[in-house]
Coordinates of all heavy atoms in Angstrom, one line a residue:
M225 N 0.8 -1.2 0.0 CA 0.0 0.0 0.0 C 0.9 1.2 0.0 O 2.0 1.2 0.5 CB -0.9 0.0 1.2 CG -1.9 -1.2 1.2 SD -3.1 -1.2 2.5 CE -3.9 0.4 2.3
R226 N 0.4 2.3 -0.6 CA 1.1 3.5 -0.7 C 0.4 4.7 -0.1 O -0.9 4.8 -0.3 CB 1.4 3.7 -2.1 CG 2.3 5.0 -2.4 CD 2.6 5.0 -3.9 NE 3.5 6.1 -4.1 CZ 3.2 7.2 -4.7 NH1 1.9 7.5 -5.0 NH2 4.1 8.2 -4.8
D227 N 1.0 5.5 0.7 CA 0.4 6.7 1.3 C 0.5 7.8 0.3 O 1.6 8.2 -0.1 CB 1.1 7.0 2.6 CG 0.5 8.2 3.3 OD1 -0.7 8.5 2.9 OD2 1.0 8.7 4.3
E228 N -0.6 8.3 -0.2 CA -0.6 9.4 -1.2 C 0.0 10.7 -0.6 O 0.5 11.5 -1.4 CB -2.0 9.6 -1.6 CG -2.7 8.4 -2.3 CD -2.0 8.1 -3.7 OE1 -1.4 9.0 -4.3 OE2 -1.9 6.9 -4.0
D229 N -0.1 10.9 0.7 CA 0.4 12.1 1.3 C 1.9 12.1 1.5 O 2.5 13.2 1.7 CB -0.3 12.4 2.6 CG -1.8 12.6 2.4 OD1 -2.2 13.1 1.2 OD2 -2.6 12.3 3.2
D230 N 2.5 11.0 1.6 CA 4.0 10.9 1.9 C 4.8 10.8 0.6 O 4.6 9.8 -0.2 CB 4.2 9.6 2.8 CG 5.6 9.5 3.2 OD1 6.4 10.5 3.1 OD2 6.0 8.5 3.7
P231 N 5.6 11.8 0.3 CA 6.3 11.7 -1.0 C 7.5 10.7 -1.0 O 8.1 10.4 -2.0 CB 6.8 13.1 -1.2 CG 6.9 13.7 0.2 CD 5.8 13.0 1.0
G232 N 7.8 10.2 0.2 CA 9.0 9.3 0.3 C 8.6 7.9 0.1 O 9.5 7.1 -0.1
T233 N 7.3 7.5 0.1 CA 7.0 6.1 -0.1 C 7.1 5.8 -1.6 O 6.7 6.5 -2.5 CB 5.6 5.8 0.4 OG1 4.7 6.6 -0.2 CG2 5.5 5.9 1.9
L234 N 7.6 4.6 -1.9 CA 7.8 4.1 -3.3 C 6.7 3.1 -3.6 O 6.1 2.4 -2.7 CB 9.1 3.5 -3.4 CG 10.3 4.4 -3.2 CD1 11.6 3.6 -3.3 CD2 10.3 5.6 -4.1
E235 N 6.4 3.0 -4.8 CA 5.4 2.0 -5.3 C 6.1 0.6 -5.3 O 7.1 0.5 -5.8 CB 4.9 2.4 -6.7 CG 3.8 1.6 -7.2 CD 2.5 1.8 -6.5 OE1 2.2 3.0 -6.2 OE2 1.7 0.9 -6.2
L236 N 5.4 -0.3 -4.7 CA 6.0 -1.6 -4.6 C 5.7 -2.4 -6.0 O 4.6 -2.3 -6.5 CB 5.3 -2.5 -3.5 CG 5.7 -2.0 -2.1 CD1 4.9 -2.9 -1.1 CD2 7.1 -2.2 -1.9
M237 N 6.7 -3.0 -6.5 CA 6.6 -3.8 -7.7 C 6.4 -5.2 -7.3 O 7.3 -6.0 -7.1 CB 7.8 -3.6 -8.6 CG 8.1 -2.2 -9.1 SD 6.7 -1.5 -10.0 CE 6.8 -2.6 -11.4
L238 N 5.1 -5.6 -7.3 CA 4.8 -7.0 -6.9 C 4.7 -7.8 -8.1 O 4.4 -7.3 -9.2 CB 3.4 -7.0 -6.2 CG 3.3 -6.2 -4.9 CD1 1.9 -6.2 -4.4 CD2 4.2 -6.8 -3.9
P239 N 5.0 -9.1 -8.0 CA 4.9 -10.0 -9.2 C 3.5 -10.1 -9.7 O 2.5 -10.1 -8.9 CB 5.5 -11.3 -8.7 CG 5.4 -11.3 -7.3 CD 5.4 -9.8 -6.8
R240 N 3.4 -10.2 -11.0 CA 2.0 -10.3 -11.6 C 1.5 -11.7 -11.4 O 2.3 -12.7 -11.2 CB 2.1 -10.0 -13.1 CG 2.4 -8.5 -13.3 CD 2.4 -8.3 -14.8 NE 1.1 -8.6 -15.4 CZ 0.7 -8.3 -16.6 NH1 1.5 -7.5 -17.3 NH2 -0.4 -8.6 -17.1
K241 N 0.2 -11.9 -11.5 CA -0.4 -13.2 -11.4 C 0.0 -14.1 -12.6 O 0.3 -13.5 -13.7 CB -1.9 -13.1 -11.4 CG -2.5 -12.6 -10.2 CD -4.0 -12.6 -10.3 CE -4.7 -12.1 -9.1 NZ -6.2 -12.2 -9.2
R242 N 0.1 -15.3 -12.4 CA 0.4 -16.2 -13.5 C -0.7 -16.4 -14.5 O -1.9 -16.2 -14.1 CB 0.8 -17.6 -13.0 CG 2.1 -17.6 -12.3 CD 2.5 -19.0 -11.8 NE 2.2 -20.0 -12.7 CZ 2.3 -21.3 -12.4 NH1 2.7 -21.7 -11.2 NH2 2.0 -22.2 -13.3
G243 N -0.4 -16.7 -15.7 CA -1.5 -17.0 -16.7 C -1.9 -15.8 -17.5 O -1.4 -14.7 -17.3
R244 N -2.8 -16.1 -18.4 CA -3.3 -15.1 -19.3 C -4.3 -14.2 -18.5 O -5.2 -14.7 -17.8 CB -4.0 -15.8 -20.4 CG -4.5 -14.8 -21.5 CD -5.0 -15.6 -22.7 NE -5.4 -14.7 -23.7 CZ -5.6 -15.1 -25.0 NH1 -5.5 -16.3 -25.3 NH2 -5.9 -14.2 -25.9
P245 N -4.3 -12.9 -18.7 CA -5.3 -12.0 -18.0 C -6.7 -12.3 -18.5 O -6.9 -12.7 -19.7 CB -4.8 -10.6 -18.4 CG -3.9 -10.7 -19.5 CD -3.4 -12.1 -19.6
P246 N -7.7 -12.1 -17.7 CA -9.1 -12.3 -18.1 C -9.5 -11.4 -19.2 O -9.2 -10.2 -19.2 CB -9.9 -12.1 -16.8 CG -9.0 -11.4 -15.9 CD -7.6 -11.7 -16.3
T247 N -10.3 -11.9 -20.1 CA -10.8 -11.1 -21.3 C -11.7 -10.0 -20.9 O -11.6 -8.9 -21.3 CB -11.5 -12.1 -22.3 OG1 -10.6 -13.1 -22.6 CG2 -11.9 -11.3 -23.5
F248 N -12.7 -10.3 -20.0 CA -13.7 -9.3 -19.7 C -13.5 -8.7 -18.3 O -14.4 -8.2 -17.7 CB -15.1 -10.0 -19.8 CG -15.4 -10.5 -21.2 CD1 -15.5 -11.8 -21.4 CD2 -15.6 -9.6 -22.2 CE1 -15.8 -12.3 -22.6 CE2 -15.8 -10.1 -23.5 CZ -15.9 -11.4 -23.7
G249 N -12.4 -8.8 -17.7 CA -12.1 -8.3 -16.4 C -12.4 -9.2 -15.3 O -12.2 -8.9 -14.1
Y250 N -13.0 -10.4 -15.6 CA -13.3 -11.4 -14.6 C -13.1 -12.8 -15.2 O -13.1 -12.9 -16.4 CB -14.7 -11.2 -14.0 CG -15.8 -11.5 -15.1 CD1 -16.3 -12.7 -15.4 CD2 -16.2 -10.4 -15.9 CE1 -17.3 -12.9 -16.3 CE2 -17.1 -10.6 -16.9 CZ -17.7 -11.8 -17.1 OH -18.6 -12.0 -18.1
A251 N -12.9 -13.8 -14.3 CA -12.7 -15.1 -14.8 C -14.0 -15.7 -15.3 O -15.0 -15.6 -14.6 CB -12.0 -16.0 -13.8
M252 N -14.0 -16.3 -16.5 CA -15.2 -16.9 -17.0 C -15.4 -18.3 -16.5 O -14.4 -19.0 -16.2 CB -15.2 -17.0 -18.6 CG -15.2 -15.6 -19.2 SD -14.9 -15.6 -21.0 CE -16.0 -16.8 -21.6
T253 N -16.6 -18.8 -16.3 CA -16.8 -20.1 -15.8 C -16.6 -21.1 -17.0 O -16.6 -20.6 -18.2 CB -18.2 -20.3 -15.3 OG1 -19.2 -20.1 -16.4 CG2 -18.5 -19.4 -14.1
D254 N -16.5 -22.3 -16.8 CA -16.3 -23.3 -17.9 C -17.5 -23.2 -18.8 O -17.4 -23.4 -20.0 CB -16.1 -24.7 -17.3 CG -14.8 -24.8 -16.7 OD1 -13.8 -24.1 -17.0 OD2 -14.6 -25.8 -15.9
A255 N -18.7 -23.1 -18.3 CA -19.9 -23.1 -19.1 C -19.9 -21.8 -20.0 O -20.3 -21.9 -21.2 CB -21.2 -23.1 -18.2
Q256 N -19.5 -20.7 -19.4 CA -19.5 -19.5 -20.3 C -18.4 -19.6 -21.4 O -18.7 -19.2 -22.5 CB -19.1 -18.3 -19.4 CG -20.2 -17.8 -18.4 CD -19.7 -16.8 -17.5 OE1 -18.6 -16.8 -17.0 NE2 -20.6 -15.8 -17.1
R257 N -17.3 -20.2 -21.0 CA -16.2 -20.4 -22.0 C -16.7 -21.3 -23.2 O -16.5 -21.0 -24.4 CB -15.0 -20.9 -21.4 CG -13.8 -20.9 -22.2 CD -12.6 -21.3 -21.5 NE -12.2 -20.4 -20.4 CZ -12.4 -20.7 -19.1 NH1 -12.8 -21.9 -18.7 NH2 -12.1 -19.8 -18.2
A258 N -17.4 -22.4 -22.8 CA -17.9 -23.3 -23.8 C -19.0 -22.7 -24.6 O -19.0 -22.9 -25.9 CB -18.4 -24.6 -23.1
A259 N -19.9 -21.9 -24.0 CA -20.9 -21.2 -24.8 C -20.3 -20.3 -25.8 O -20.8 -20.2 -26.9 CB -21.9 -20.6 -23.9
R260 N -19.3 -19.5 -25.4 CA -18.7 -18.6 -26.3 C -18.0 -19.3 -27.4 O -18.0 -18.9 -28.6 CB -17.7 -17.8 -25.4 CG -17.1 -16.6 -26.2 CD -16.4 -15.7 -25.2 NE -15.9 -14.5 -25.9 CZ -14.6 -14.3 -26.1 NH1 -13.7 -15.0 -25.5 NH2 -14.3 -13.3 -26.8
Y261 N -17.4 -20.4 -27.1 CA -16.7 -21.2 -28.2 C -17.7 -21.8 -29.2 O -17.5 -21.7 -30.4 CB -15.9 -22.4 -27.5 CG -15.4 -23.4 -28.5 CD1 -14.3 -23.2 -29.3 CD2 -16.0 -24.7 -28.5 CE1 -13.9 -24.1 -30.2 CE2 -15.6 -25.6 -29.4 CZ -14.5 -25.4 -30.2 OH -14.0 -26.3 -31.1
R262 N -18.8 -22.3 -28.7 CA -19.9 -22.8 -29.6 C -20.5 -21.7 -30.4 O -20.8 -21.9 -31.6 CB -21.0 -23.5 -28.8 CG -20.5 -24.9 -28.2 CD -21.7 -25.6 -27.7 NE -22.4 -24.9 -26.6 CZ -22.1 -25.0 -25.3 NH1 -21.1 -25.8 -24.9 NH2 -22.8 -24.3 -24.4
A263 N -20.7 -20.5 -29.8 CA -21.3 -19.4 -30.6 C -20.3 -19.0 -31.7 O -20.7 -18.7 -32.8 CB -21.6 -18.3 -29.7
R264 N -19.0 -19.0 -31.4 CA -18.0 -18.6 -32.4 C -18.0 -19.6 -33.5 O -17.9 -19.2 -34.7 CB -16.6 -18.5 -31.7 CG -15.7 -17.6 -32.3 CD -14.5 -17.3 -31.5 NE -13.9 -18.4 -30.9 CZ -13.8 -18.6 -29.6 NH1 -14.2 -17.7 -28.7 NH2 -13.2 -19.7 -29.1
R265 N -18.0 -20.9 -33.2 CA -18.1 -21.9 -34.3 C -19.3 -21.8 -35.1 O -19.3 -22.0 -36.3 CB -18.0 -23.3 -33.6 CG -16.6 -23.7 -33.5 CD -16.4 -25.1 -33.0 NE -17.1 -26.1 -33.7 CZ -17.4 -27.3 -33.2 NH1 -16.9 -27.7 -32.1 NH2 -18.0 -28.2 -33.9
A266 N -20.5 -21.6 -34.4 CA -21.7 -21.5 -35.2 C -21.7 -20.3 -36.1 O -22.2 -20.3 -37.2 CB -22.9 -21.4 -34.2
G267 N -21.1 -19.2 -35.7 CA -21.0 -18.0 -36.5 C -20.1 -18.2 -37.7 O -20.3 -17.7 -38.8
Q268 N -19.0 -19.0 -37.5 CA -18.2 -19.3 -38.7 C -18.8 -20.3 -39.6 O -18.6 -20.2 -40.9 CB -16.9 -20.0 -38.2 CG -15.9 -19.1 -37.5 CD -14.6 -19.8 -37.1 OE1 -14.6 -21.0 -37.0 NE2 -13.6 -19.1 -36.8
A269 N -19.6 -21.2 -39.2 CA -20.2 -22.3 -40.0 C -21.2 -21.7 -41.0 O -21.3 -22.3 -42.1 CB -20.8 -23.4 -39.1
G270 N -21.9 -20.7 -40.7 CA -23.0 -20.2 -41.6 C -22.5 -19.7 -42.9 O -23.0 -20.0 -43.9
H271 N -21.4 -18.9 -42.9 CA -21.0 -18.2 -44.1 C -19.5 -18.4 -44.4 O -18.9 -17.5 -45.0 CB -21.4 -16.7 -44.0 CG -20.8 -16.1 -42.7 ND1 -19.6 -15.6 -42.6 CD2 -21.5 -15.8 -41.6 CE1 -19.4 -15.1 -41.4 NE2 -20.5 -15.2 -40.8
A272 N -19.0 -19.4 -43.9 CA -17.5 -19.6 -44.0 C -17.1 -20.2 -45.4 O -17.9 -21.1 -45.9 CB -17.0 -20.5 -42.9
D273 N -16.1 -19.8 -45.9 CA -15.5 -20.4 -47.1 C -14.7 -21.6 -46.6 O -13.9 -21.5 -45.7 CB -14.6 -19.4 -47.8 CG -13.9 -20.0 -49.0 OD1 -14.4 -21.0 -49.6 OD2 -12.8 -19.5 -49.4
V274 N -15.0 -22.8 -47.2 CA -14.4 -24.0 -46.7 C -12.9 -24.1 -46.8 O -12.2 -24.8 -46.1 CB -15.1 -25.3 -47.3 CG1 -16.5 -25.4 -46.9 CG2 -14.9 -25.3 -48.8
R275 N -12.4 -23.3 -47.7 CA -10.9 -23.3 -47.9 C -10.2 -22.5 -46.9 O -9.0 -22.7 -46.7 CB -10.6 -22.8 -49.3 CG -11.1 -23.7 -50.4 CD -10.7 -23.2 -51.8 NE -11.4 -23.9 -52.8 CZ -11.1 -25.1 -53.3 NH1 -10.0 -25.7 -52.8 NH2 -11.7 -25.6 -54.3
T276 N -10.9 -21.6 -46.2 CA -10.3 -20.7 -45.2 C -10.8 -20.9 -43.8 O -10.3 -20.3 -42.8 CB -10.4 -19.2 -45.6 OG1 -11.8 -18.9 -45.7 CG2 -9.7 -19.0 -46.9
C277 N -11.9 -21.7 -43.6 CA -12.5 -21.8 -42.3 C -11.6 -22.7 -41.4 O -10.6 -23.3 -41.8 CB -13.9 -22.4 -42.4 SG -13.9 -24.1 -43.0
S278 N -11.9 -22.8 -40.1 CA -11.1 -23.5 -39.2 C -11.4 -25.1 -39.4 O -12.3 -25.4 -40.1 CB -11.5 -23.2 -37.7 OG -12.8 -23.6 -37.4
D279 N -10.5 -25.9 -38.9 CA -10.6 -27.3 -39.0 C -11.8 -27.8 -38.4 O -12.5 -28.7 -39.0 CB -9.4 -28.0 -38.4 CG -8.1 -27.7 -39.2 OD1 -8.2 -27.2 -40.3 OD2 -7.0 -28.0 -38.6
M280 N -12.2 -27.3 -37.3 CA -13.4 -27.8 -36.6 C -14.7 -27.5 -37.4 O -15.6 -28.3 -37.5 CB -13.5 -27.2 -35.2 CG -12.5 -27.8 -34.2 SD -12.5 -29.6 -34.1 CE -14.1 -30.0 -33.5
V281 N -14.7 -26.3 -38.0 CA -15.9 -26.0 -38.9 C -15.9 -26.9 -40.1 O -17.0 -27.4 -40.5 CB -15.9 -24.5 -39.3 CG1 -16.9 -24.2 -40.3 CG2 -16.0 -23.6 -38.0
L282 N -14.8 -27.2 -40.7 CA -14.7 -28.1 -41.8 C -15.2 -29.5 -41.4 O -15.9 -30.1 -42.2 CB -13.3 -28.1 -42.3 CG -13.1 -28.9 -43.6 CD1 -14.0 -28.5 -44.7 CD2 -11.6 -28.9 -44.0
L283 N -14.8 -30.0 -40.3 CA -15.2 -31.3 -39.8 C -16.7 -31.3 -39.6 O -17.4 -32.3 -39.8 CB -14.4 -31.7 -38.5 CG -13.0 -32.0 -38.8 CD1 -12.3 -32.3 -37.5 CD2 -12.8 -33.2 -39.7
D284 N -17.2 -30.2 -39.0 CA -18.7 -30.1 -38.8 C -19.4 -30.2 -40.2 O -20.5 -30.8 -40.3 CB -19.1 -28.8 -38.1 CG -18.7 -28.9 -36.6 OD1 -18.5 -30.0 -36.1 OD2 -18.6 -27.8 -36.0
K285 N -18.9 -29.5 -41.2 CA -19.5 -29.5 -42.5 C -19.4 -30.9 -43.1 O -20.3 -31.4 -43.7 CB -18.8 -28.5 -43.4 CG -19.2 -27.1 -43.1 CD -18.6 -26.1 -44.0 CE -19.0 -24.7 -43.7 NZ -20.4 -24.4 -44.1
I286 N -18.3 -31.6 -42.9 CA -18.1 -33.0 -43.4 C -19.2 -33.9 -42.7 O -19.8 -34.7 -43.4 CB -16.7 -33.5 -43.2 CG1 -15.7 -32.8 -44.1 CG2 -16.6 -35.0 -43.4 CD1 -14.3 -33.1 -43.8
R287 N -19.3 -33.8 -41.4 CA -20.3 -34.5 -40.7 C -21.7 -34.3 -41.2 O -22.5 -35.2 -41.3 CB -20.2 -34.2 -39.2 CG -21.0 -35.1 -38.3 CD -20.9 -34.8 -36.8 NE -19.5 -34.9 -36.4 CZ -18.8 -33.9 -35.9 NH1 -19.2 -32.7 -35.8 NH2 -17.5 -34.1 -35.5
A288 N -22.0 -33.0 -41.4 CA -23.4 -32.7 -41.9 C -23.6 -33.2 -43.3 O -24.7 -33.7 -43.6 CB -23.6 -31.2 -41.9
S289 N -22.6 -33.2 -44.1 CA -22.8 -33.7 -45.5 C -22.9 -35.2 -45.5 O -23.6 -35.8 -46.3 CB -21.6 -33.3 -46.4 OG -20.4 -33.9 -46.0
I290 N -22.2 -35.9 -44.6 CA -22.4 -37.4 -44.5 C -23.8 -37.7 -44.0 O -24.5 -38.6 -44.5 CB -21.4 -38.0 -43.6 CG1 -20.0 -37.9 -44.2 CG2 -21.7 -39.4 -43.2 CD1 -18.8 -38.3 -43.3
T291 N -24.3 -36.9 -43.0 CA -25.7 -37.1 -42.5 C -26.7 -36.9 -43.6 O -27.7 -37.6 -43.7 CB -25.9 -36.2 -41.3 OG1 -24.9 -36.4 -40.3 CG2 -27.2 -36.5 -40.7
S292 N -26.5 -35.9 -44.4 CA -27.5 -35.6 -45.5 C -27.3 -36.5 -46.7 O -28.0 -36.3 -47.7 CB -27.4 -34.1 -45.9 OG -26.1 -33.9 -46.5
K293 N -26.3 -37.4 -46.7 CA -26.0 -38.3 -47.7 C -25.8 -37.6 -49.1 O -26.4 -38.0 -50.1 CB -27.2 -39.3 -47.9 CG -27.3 -40.1 -46.6 CD -28.4 -41.1 -46.7 CE -28.5 -41.9 -45.3 NZ -29.6 -42.5 -45.1
D294 N -24.9 -36.7 -49.1 CA -24.5 -36.0 -50.3 C -23.0 -36.4 -50.6 O -22.1 -35.8 -50.1 CB -24.6 -34.5 -50.1 CG -24.4 -33.7 -51.3 OD1 -24.0 -34.3 -52.4 OD2 -24.5 -32.4 -51.3
P295 N -22.8 -37.4 -51.4 CA -21.5 -37.9 -51.7 C -20.5 -36.9 -52.4 O -19.3 -36.9 -52.1 CB -21.7 -39.1 -52.5 CG -23.0 -39.0 -53.1 CD -23.8 -38.1 -52.2
E296 N -21.1 -36.0 -53.3 CA -20.3 -35.1 -54.0 C -19.7 -34.0 -53.0 O -18.5 -33.7 -53.1 CB -21.0 -34.4 -55.1 CG -21.4 -35.4 -56.2 CD -22.2 -34.7 -57.3 OE1 -22.3 -33.5 -57.3 OE2 -22.6 -35.4 -58.2
L297 N -20.6 -33.5 -52.2 CA -20.1 -32.5 -51.2 C -19.2 -33.1 -50.2 O -18.1 -32.5 -49.9 CB -21.3 -31.9 -50.5 CG -21.0 -30.8 -49.5 CD1 -20.3 -29.6 -50.1 CD2 -22.2 -30.3 -48.8
T298 N -19.4 -34.3 -49.8 CA -18.6 -35.0 -48.8 C -17.2 -35.2 -49.4 O -16.2 -34.9 -48.8 CB -19.1 -36.3 -48.4 OG1 -20.4 -36.1 -47.8 CG2 -18.3 -37.0 -47.4
G299 N -17.1 -35.7 -50.7 CA -15.9 -35.8 -51.4 C -15.1 -34.5 -51.5 O -13.9 -34.5 -51.3
F300 N -15.8 -33.4 -51.8 CA -15.1 -32.1 -52.0 C -14.6 -31.7 -50.6 O -13.4 -31.2 -50.6 CB -16.1 -31.1 -52.5 CG -15.6 -29.7 -52.5 CD1 -14.5 -29.3 -53.4 CD2 -16.0 -28.8 -51.6 CE1 -14.0 -28.1 -53.3 CE2 -15.5 -27.5 -51.5 CZ -14.5 -27.1 -52.4
L301 N -15.3 -31.8 -49.6 CA -14.9 -31.4 -48.3 C -13.7 -32.2 -47.8 O -12.8 -31.7 -47.2 CB -16.0 -31.4 -47.3 CG -17.2 -30.4 -47.5 CD1 -18.3 -30.6 -46.6 CD2 -16.7 -29.0 -47.5
V302 N -13.8 -33.5 -48.0 CA -12.6 -34.4 -47.6 C -11.4 -34.0 -48.4 O -10.3 -34.0 -47.9 CB -13.0 -35.8 -47.8 CG1 -11.8 -36.8 -47.6 CG2 -14.1 -36.2 -46.7
H303 N -11.6 -33.7 -49.7 CA -10.4 -33.3 -50.5 C -9.8 -32.0 -50.0 O -8.6 -31.9 -49.9 CB -10.9 -33.0 -52.0 CG -9.8 -32.6 -52.9 ND1 -8.8 -33.5 -53.3 CD2 -9.6 -31.5 -53.5 CE1 -8.0 -32.8 -54.1 NE2 -8.4 -31.6 -54.2
V304 N -10.6 -31.0 -49.5 CA -10.1 -29.8 -48.9 C -9.3 -30.1 -47.7 O -8.2 -29.5 -47.5 CB -11.3 -28.8 -48.7 CG1 -10.8 -27.6 -47.8 CG2 -11.9 -28.3 -49.9
L305 N -9.9 -31.0 -46.9 CA -9.1 -31.4 -45.7 C -7.8 -32.1 -46.0 O -6.8 -31.9 -45.4 CB -10.0 -32.4 -44.8 CG -9.5 -32.8 -43.5 CD1 -9.3 -31.6 -42.6 CD2 -10.4 -33.8 -42.8
W306 N -7.8 -32.9 -47.0 CA -6.6 -33.6 -47.5 C -5.6 -32.6 -48.0 O -4.4 -32.8 -47.8 CB -7.0 -34.6 -48.6 CG -5.8 -35.3 -49.1 CD1 -5.0 -36.3 -48.6 CD2 -5.1 -35.0 -50.4 NE1 -4.0 -36.7 -49.4 CE2 -4.0 -35.8 -50.5 CE3 -5.3 -34.1 -51.4 CZ2 -3.1 -35.8 -51.5 CZ3 -4.5 -34.0 -52.4 CH2 -3.4 -34.9 -52.5
Q307 N -6.0 -31.6 -48.7 CA -5.1 -30.6 -49.1 C -4.4 -29.8 -48.0 O -3.2 -29.4 -48.1 CB -5.8 -29.5 -50.0 CG -6.2 -30.0 -51.4 CD -6.9 -29.0 -52.2 OE1 -7.6 -28.1 -51.7 NE2 -6.8 -29.1 -53.5
R308 N -5.1 -29.7 -46.9 CA -4.5 -29.0 -45.7 C -3.4 -30.0 -45.1 O -2.4 -29.5 -44.6 CB -5.5 -28.7 -44.7 CG -6.5 -27.6 -45.1 CD -7.4 -27.3 -43.9 NE -8.4 -26.3 -44.3 CZ -9.3 -25.8 -43.6 NH1 -9.3 -26.1 -42.3 NH2 -10.1 -24.9 -44.0
Y309 N -3.7 -31.2 -45.0 CA -2.8 -32.2 -44.3 C -2.6 -33.4 -45.3 O -3.1 -34.5 -45.1 CB -3.5 -32.7 -43.1 CG -3.9 -31.6 -42.1 CD1 -5.2 -31.2 -42.0 CD2 -2.9 -31.0 -41.3 CE1 -5.5 -30.1 -41.2 CE2 -3.2 -30.0 -40.5 CZ -4.5 -29.5 -40.4 OH -4.9 -28.5 -39.5
P310 N -1.7 -33.2 -46.3 CA -1.5 -34.3 -47.2 C -0.7 -35.4 -46.6 O 0.1 -35.2 -45.7 CB -0.6 -33.6 -48.3 CG 0.0 -32.4 -47.7 CD -1.0 -32.0 -46.6
L311 N -1.0 -36.6 -47.0 CA -0.4 -37.8 -46.5 C 1.0 -37.9 -47.1 O 1.2 -37.8 -48.3 CB -1.2 -39.0 -46.8 CG -2.5 -39.1 -46.1 CD1 -3.3 -40.4 -46.6 CD2 -2.3 -39.2 -44.6
Q312 N 2.0 -38.3 -46.3 CA 3.3 -38.6 -46.8 C 3.5 -40.1 -46.8 O 3.9 -40.7 -45.9 CB 4.4 -37.9 -45.9 CG 4.3 -36.4 -45.8 CD 4.6 -35.7 -47.1 OE1 5.4 -36.2 -47.9 NE2 4.0 -34.6 -47.3
L313 N 3.3 -40.7 -48.0 CA 3.4 -42.2 -48.1 C 4.8 -42.5 -48.4 O 5.5 -41.8 -49.3 CB 2.5 -42.7 -49.2 CG 1.0 -42.4 -48.9 CD1 0.2 -42.9 -50.1 CD2 0.5 -43.1 -47.7
K314 N 5.3 -43.5 -47.8 CA 6.7 -44.0 -48.0 C 6.8 -45.2 -48.7 O 6.0 -46.1 -48.7 CB 7.5 -44.1 -46.7 CG 7.6 -42.8 -46.0 CD 8.4 -42.9 -44.7 CE 8.5 -41.6 -44.0 NZ 9.3 -41.7 -42.8

């Protein structure tokens, strides 16, 4: 603590807390963090270009195309995934 009226006291340099600082000024609960993650993924899935979207969104789209039994779309999406992570056959 520092006395504002005393010019001789110095500000103590205490070590900072470990870890990443909280985004909104308070620690989020696990449920809040998961809800924010799901909302972010849902926002990406609606209008995302499959060539630039995240891997999880691409996997969600592959899962949806398999469920809807669309072999052409499934093949295209798997091809996009393969282009990101090509197999190195020996």
Side-chain angles (χ1 to χ4, degrees):
M225 295 185 60
R226 183 172 186 258
D227 186 10
E228 296 294 331
D229 298 330
D230 184 13
T233 56
L234 300 174
E235 188 69 38
L236 292 177
M237 296 302 295
L238 300 175
R240 292 181 59 165
K241 289 183 178 179
R242 288 180 43 187
R244 187 174 183 165
T247 304
F248 300 112
Y250 62 92
M252 293 170 52
T253 65
D254 289 339
Q256 288 173 324
R257 191 175 297 108
R260 190 163 181 249
Y261 169 73
R262 286 191 301 269
R264 206 169 43 243
R265 268 183 55 194
Q268 284 181 344
H271 53 80
D273 179 23
V274 293
R275 295 184 192 278
T276 59
C277 66
S278 69
D279 291 344
M280 290 306 298
V281 171
L282 182 58
L283 290 174
D284 287 342
K285 288 184 177 284
I286 291 172
R287 187 179 302 118
S289 68
I290 290 172
T291 303
S292 67
K293 297 180 179 160
D294 187 355
E296 292 178 8
L297 180 60
T298 304
F300 172 72
L301 294 173
V302 169
H303 180 71
V304 170
L305 185 64
W306 176 78
Q307 285 178 334
R308 289 184 186 185
Y309 304 102
L311 295 175
Q312 299 294 330
L313 299 177
K314 293 180 180 182

